[in-house]
């Protein structure tokens, strides 16, 4: 979903006669070469592979396989302080009216119970590129045009390139620490999660990244997930880059219990509150019940209606609507197995007081202690 974000030259050019062009919506029964600028094909009866050469008029070709694709020809290049040449990718959902077969997208975030994903990349040297997921969301169930929110997950960054915007912190998701960037590219808002080193393969739940974006106040649960895409943004070089295997599902239905049985969580939270007519205070204690040390933590939860935080201590606490995000400060960010950290806050109260019912720490559901 890159092509309308910046002006394109000759977006409707036909491929040269010597180039194999695959029509949008075609089906690949064997390895299929795509050189048409916005050509695509279906693989596995479920996924769409697209060339998506939106940032250059130079030739680019990809080879769609039964499980992914490879960049075979890439003649264009772009300055590293600007936009990439393309986003060849594989996706589920809808990309400019091109919807993958049998997709249940767009669908509201509130209806998604999980979105398990798995990917294997093949990287090359001597090129400038990123390997990333593109996750698109919008307040409406859009099947055409640009969405308002783009989440990018950078699993590899090679060369002097950077995401849109500027760094705003870190997040621990899918068992890894990510540097978080936030900005706007002139067409939509972007939040990017950047790995500290190259990740050649990963299995994770896309919903955890969506939830983190929601907790940052960028979207709400009423927004729609429209597509999940995975591929490469090349700036210079990149022939040989490949997605060798990709799987993605979006499951709908009742979410699993937010509070697992005792002993199954990687964290425990003790929440102690004191309330009066129009105010309250809360003391929160976090315990690392896992086996690995946490180097930095973020606690997410929702306050019941009528509660508004006015001040905090021992943590950086922000609130957007009912969603609360509490992040460690310098002296309490390391939690060894069995270690604890405490923070608190005060707030105003309208109506009857009640405590939050569930918590997640770095994306993991916590037990209540």
């Amino acid at each position: 979903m890159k092509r309308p974000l910046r002006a394109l030259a000759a977006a409707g050019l036909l491929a040269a006669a010597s180039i194999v062009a695959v029509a949008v919506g075609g089906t690949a029964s064997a390895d299929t070469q795509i050189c048409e600028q916005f050509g695509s094909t279906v693989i596995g009866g479920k996924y769409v592979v697209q060339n998506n050469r939106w940032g250059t008029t130079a030739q680019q070709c990809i080879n769609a396989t039964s499980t992914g694709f490879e960049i075979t020809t890439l003649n264009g290049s772009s300055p590293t302080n600007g936009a990439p040449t393309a986003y060849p990718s594989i996706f589920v959902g809808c990309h400019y009216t091109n919807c993958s077969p049998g997709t249940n997208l767009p669908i509201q975030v509130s209806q998604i119970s999980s979105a398990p994903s798995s990917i294997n990349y093949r990287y090359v040297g001597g090129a400038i590129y990123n390997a990333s997921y593109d996750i698109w969301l919008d307040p409406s169930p859009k099947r055409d045009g640009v969405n308002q929110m783009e989440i990018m997950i950078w699993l590899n960054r090679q060369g002097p390139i950077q995401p849109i915007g500027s760094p705003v912190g870190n997040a621990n998701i899918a068992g890894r620490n990510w540097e978080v960037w936030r900005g706007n590219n002139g067409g939509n808002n972007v939040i990017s999660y950047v790995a500290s080193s190259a990740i050649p393969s990963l299995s994770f739940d896309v919903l955890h990244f969506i939830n983190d974006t929601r907790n940052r106040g960028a979207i709400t649960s009423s927004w729609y997930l429209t597509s999940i895409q995975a591929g490469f943004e090349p700036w210079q070089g990149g022939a040989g880059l490949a997605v060798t295997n990709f799987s993605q599902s979006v499951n709908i239905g009742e979410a699993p219990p937010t509070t697992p049985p005792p002993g199954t969580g990687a964290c425990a939270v003790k929440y102690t509150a004191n309330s009066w007519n129009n105010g309250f205070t809360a003391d929160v204690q976090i315990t690392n019940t896992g086996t690995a040390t946490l180097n930095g933590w973020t606690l997410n939860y929702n306050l019941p209606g009528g509660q508004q935080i006015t001040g905090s201590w021992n943590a950086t606490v922000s609130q957007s609507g009912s969603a609360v995000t509490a992040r460690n400060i310098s002296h309490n960010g390391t939690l060894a197995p069995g270690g604890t950290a405490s923070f608190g806050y005060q707030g105003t109260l309208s109506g009857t007081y009640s405590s939050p019912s569930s918590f997640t720490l770095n994306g993991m559901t916590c037990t209540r202690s």
Side-chain angles (χ1 to χ4, degrees), residues 148-350:
Q148 290 189 25
M149 186 71 230
E150 177 184 12
I151 301 172
M152 295 197 74
I153 309 173
W154 287 37
L155 281 78
N156 191 2
R157 170 170 53 171
Q158 296 297 313
I161 55 174
Q162 66 180 44
I164 295 292
S166 57
V168 294
N170 294 83
N172 196 298
I173 305 173
R176 297 173 181 270
N177 188 64
W178 309 82
E179 184 179 49
V180 183
W181 291 59
R182 190 165 184 172
N184 184 288
N185 62 17
N188 55 269
N189 294 320
V190 186
I191 291 182
S192 302
Y193 298 84
V194 183
S196 58
S197 59
I199 301 173
S201 63
L202 189 66
S203 296
F204 66 103
D205 193 334
V206 168
L207 186 59
H208 292 162
F209 287 91
I210 295 174
N211 287 343
D212 186 81
T213 296
R214 181 199 61 198
N215 292 338
R216 295 174 187 273
I219 65 167
T220 70
S221 294
S222 65
W223 282 43
Y224 290 81
L225 171 65
T226 63
S227 71
I228 300 172
Q229 310 178 7
F232 302 94
E233 287 187 324
W235 272 259
Q236 298 173 18
L241 291 169
V243 171
T244 59
N245 194 56
F246 174 78
S247 68
Q248 178 69 63
S249 298
V250 178
N251 299 321
I252 302 169
E254 185 176 351
T258 56
T259 304
T264 62
C267 50
V269 173
K270 182 178 180 181
Y271 192 93
T272 305
N274 180 40
S275 65
W276 54 94
N277 289 340
N278 58 358
F280 72 100
T281 61
D283 292 302
V284 186
Q285 183 184 78
I286 304 167
T287 301
N288 178 7
T289 59
T291 59
T293 297
L294 299 180
N295 295 308
W297 52 263
T298 300
L299 187 72
N300 296 112
Y301 53 96
N302 291 315
L303 283 180
Q307 299 181 27
Q308 183 66 46
I309 295 172
T310 58
S312 61
W313 52 91
N314 289 335
T316 301
V317 182
S318 60
Q319 180 177 356
S320 176
S322 63
V324 175
T325 300
R327 293 185 175 86
N328 67 274
I329 55 179
S330 58
H331 74 264
N332 63 1
T334 301
L335 283 181
T340 64
S342 298
F343 68 94
Y345 51 85
Q346 62 185 20
T348 58
L349 174 65
S350 174

Side-chain angles (χ1 to χ4, degrees), residues 122-143:
R122 185 174 73 237
Y123 299 137
V124 299
I128 298 175
Y129 64 90
N130 70 41
S132 67
Y133 274 67
D134 236 357
I135 302 161
W136 291 94
L137 301 108
D138 195 81
S140 64
K142 295 188 75 168
R143 292 175 172 82

Side-chain angles (χ1 to χ4, degrees), residues 39-187:
S40 70
T41 192
V42 173
I43 66 170
K46 178 179 180 180
Y47 305 110
V48 175
V49 170
Q50 59 179 356
N51 199 25
N52 202 11
R53 176 174 54 84
W54 60 270
T56 179
T57 58
Q59 184 181 8
Q60 173 182 289
C61 297
I62 63 174
N63 190 53
T65 69
S66 61
T67 58
F69 70 91
E70 177 185 359
I71 301 175
T72 56
T73 304
L74 203 158
N75 294 330
S77 66
S78 297
T80 56
N81 62 351
T85 63
Y87 184 56
S89 49
I90 181 172
F91 73 87
V92 292
C94 294
H95 178 106
Y96 290 89
T97 71
N98 187 12
C99 295
S100 58
T103 184
N104 55 4
L105 302 180
I107 191 162
Q108 279 186 308
V109 171
S110 61
Q111 298 182 45
I112 302 172
S113 59
S114 64
S117 187
S118 178
I119 193 163
N120 291 81
Y121 283 108
R122 185 174 73 237
Y123 299 137
V124 299
I128 298 175
Y129 64 90
N130 70 41
S132 67
Y133 274 67
D134 236 357
I135 302 161
W136 291 94
L137 301 108
D138 195 81
S140 64
K142 295 188 75 168
R143 292 175 172 82
D144 189 16
V146 66
N147 289 184
Q148 290 189 25
M149 186 71 230
E150 177 184 12
I151 301 172
M152 295 197 74
I153 309 173
W154 287 37
L155 281 78
N156 191 2
R157 170 170 53 171
Q158 296 297 313
I161 55 174
Q162 66 180 44
I164 295 292
S166 57
V168 294
N170 294 83
N172 196 298
I173 305 173
R176 297 173 181 270
N177 188 64
W178 309 82
E179 184 179 49
V180 183
W181 291 59
R182 190 165 184 172
N184 184 288
N185 62 17

